Amino acid sequence: MGAKIALFAFFMFFALCSATPTKPYTPCKNLVLYFHDVLYNGENAANATSAIVAAPQGANLTKLAPQFHFGNIAVFDDPITLDNKFHSNPVGRAQGFYIYDTKNTFTAWLGFTFVLNSTEHQGSITFAGADPILQKSRDISVTGGTGDFFMHRGIATIMTDAFEGEVYFRLRVDIKFYECW
């Protein structure tokens, strides 16, 4: 009889735990940063923070390819700021690459790291994912970090905050960490 009561209590406990709604995930840390990209165009070497390193056959490395820039690969070392002003004091660098990977719309694949070195934050945050550029906001994965961000994971919502032709753009990056150590 005692075994039946214990078994019944176990199943009731299991059923109640299973029926309890789970609350949505909440971030353990949130951070908003801006990075500023100035693409080398053959005339702005002093200010450029990115450059095309591969292009489709017949294209040059100072202009993005026609037809959605398909086949271009650019590397960058961009300043990161706490606000959207290009000349604000940088708190770190965004270092990585983007690949224009679609023939029928503006889309890129991003792989980069924020290397932060300020009084507020020390360490790196690594990102990877597809960037459908024409969407107002898009999410990419935060795959890890070092220093203050050791083994952090989460989602970064990126938004194009400004752009000037094919030479300059600024991204607002809203980082939500869901796994913090």
Side-chain angles (χ1 to χ4, degrees):
M1 182 72 168
K4 287 183 181 181
I5 292 174
L7 187 60
F8 177 75
F10 172 76
F11 282 116
M12 288 302 292
F13 175 75
F14 181 75
L16 287 173
C17 289
S18 299
T20 305
T22 58
K23 68 179 185 175
Y25 289 108
T26 55
C28 50
K29 194 183 291 185
N30 192 20
L31 188 60
V32 175
L33 298 168
Y34 294 82
F35 79 90
H36 310 265
D37 188 87
V38 180
L39 184 63
Y40 174 68
N41 66 0
E43 300 173 8
N44 62 350
N47 295 325
T49 61
S50 64
I52 301 167
V53 295
Q57 185 174 356
N60 70 42
L61 298 179
T62 59
K63 290 177 76 176
L64 290 166
Q67 190 174 355
F68 307 108
H69 313 316
F70 178 72
N72 282 130
I73 299 174
V75 296
F76 58 89
D77 182 15
D78 297 337
I80 302 170
T81 61
L82 295 174
D83 60 25
N84 63 359
K85 295 173 181 60
F86 181 71
H87 294 292
S88 293
N89 285 335
V91 295
R93 307 294 292 187
Q95 300 169 331
F97 61 91
Y98 46 94
I99 302 169
Y100 290 99
D101 61 349
T102 305
K103 286 184 173 183
N104 57 5
T105 189
F106 287 104
T107 301
W109 194 90
L110 304 172
F112 63 98
T113 300
F114 278 3
V115 181
L116 301 171
N117 188 16
S118 69
T119 54
E120 201 170 325
H121 300 291
Q122 296 281 322
S124 66
I125 307 167
T126 304
F127 306 85
D131 180 12
I133 298 165
L134 297 178
Q135 292 183 5
K136 182 176 178 176
S137 69
R138 48 261 186 219
D139 292 334
I140 58 173
S141 300
V142 175
T143 59
T146 64
D148 293 345
F149 310 100
F150 177 72
M151 293 190 60
H152 282 33
R153 290 191 297 182
I155 297 292
T157 301
I158 57 177
M159 291 164 271
T160 303
D161 191 55
F163 68 93
E164 295 175 17
E166 295 181 345
V167 177
Y168 172 77
F169 67 85
R170 176 178 60 235
L171 295 180
R172 180 182 191 273
V173 183
D174 184 358
I175 308 163
K176 290 181 176 56
F177 297 107
Y178 291 95
E179 197 171 297
C180 302
W181 286 71

